[in-house]
Amino acid sequence: MSTSTRTTSGSFIISGLVLPGDEPGDESERQLALRRHNIMALARNFAAADFDVVVSDVVLWPGLLDVYLAGLATELRFFLLTASPEVISARDAGRHKNVADLWAHLRADQDAWDSPGLRLDTSIWTLDETVTAIRQGWSDALHPAPGRPA
C-alpha cells in the first residue's frame, strides 16, 4: 500500500509514485485523482476563510474541467496559458527539471479544445506581462458554478 499525493511544486510520495502516463495506468490515474481531490479540498477551505485561491494544473479536456467545477462547487475563472513549442522548449531547458518533451503530445489536445474562459499565448510575454493580461481578462475568464447561469 502506498499513500500518494502529488503537487505542482513538489512531491509528497514516500513510495509508490507512478507518474502520469507511466504504468500501471490505473495507479497513475488514482494518484492524479487523489491529488485533485486534495487540491480542491484545500482550495475550498481557503475560500471559506475568505482567501482568493488560485489552482494551477494542466487542464486540457472538458471532462477534467468538469471535475474541478463539481469539486469546487463555485464559479471560477479559467485561463489556459500556452506558448509556442519553441518557447516551451527554451523555457524548459532553463529549468532544473526538463519535462517538455514528455508532454509535447498534449499540444494536440490543447489546440483541439475550444476551452471556456480565456486562452492566452504567453510566448512573447514576461511573467509581469502575463499577470497583467490575466488581470485585464479577468471578467472574460469567468466560468459559472454548476447549475448557475452564465
Side-chain angles (χ1 to χ4, degrees):
M1 183 172 107
S2 66
T3 302
S4 305
T5 302
R6 194 142 190 265
T7 68
T8 55
S9 61
S11 207
F12 295 102
I13 303 290
I14 295 169
S15 67
L17 173 65
V18 181
L19 294 173
D22 285 356
E23 293 296 328
D26 59 339
E27 178 60 15
S28 173
E29 184 50 41
R30 184 182 80 83
Q31 291 180 18
L32 284 170
L34 180 59
R35 175 183 157 272
R36 284 183 213 108
H37 173 81
N38 289 327
I39 287 170
M40 289 183 285
L42 192 60
R44 286 190 309 269
N45 290 339
F46 273 96
D50 292 326
F51 285 91
D52 292 329
V53 179
V54 174
V55 174
S56 175
D57 197 0
V58 177
V59 178
L60 300 177
W61 307 275
L64 186 51
L65 180 58
D66 291 343
V67 167
Y68 274 109
L69 286 167
L72 294 171
T74 186
E75 69 184 24
L76 59 82
R77 284 168 171 76
F78 184 76
F79 294 88
L80 194 151
L81 304 180
T82 187
S84 71
E86 298 80 19
V87 168
I88 291 170
S89 292
R91 289 176 181 169
D92 191 57
R95 297 180 178 133
H96 72 283
K97 178 176 86 169
N98 303 115
V99 297
D101 289 343
L102 294 172
W103 307 115
H105 66 282
L106 295 176
R107 183 62 183 232
D109 291 328
Q110 173 189 293
D111 292 344
W113 184 26
D114 184 21
S115 62
L118 192 61
R119 181 181 297 242
L120 298 172
D121 185 334
T122 66
S123 295
I124 62 170
W125 294 344
T126 64
L127 176 58
D128 287 341
E129 290 168 328
T130 300
V131 170
T132 296
I134 289 170
R135 286 182 176 144
Q136 290 173 344
W138 194 249
S139 61
D140 294 334
L142 184 62
H143 196 60
R148 292 188 191 164

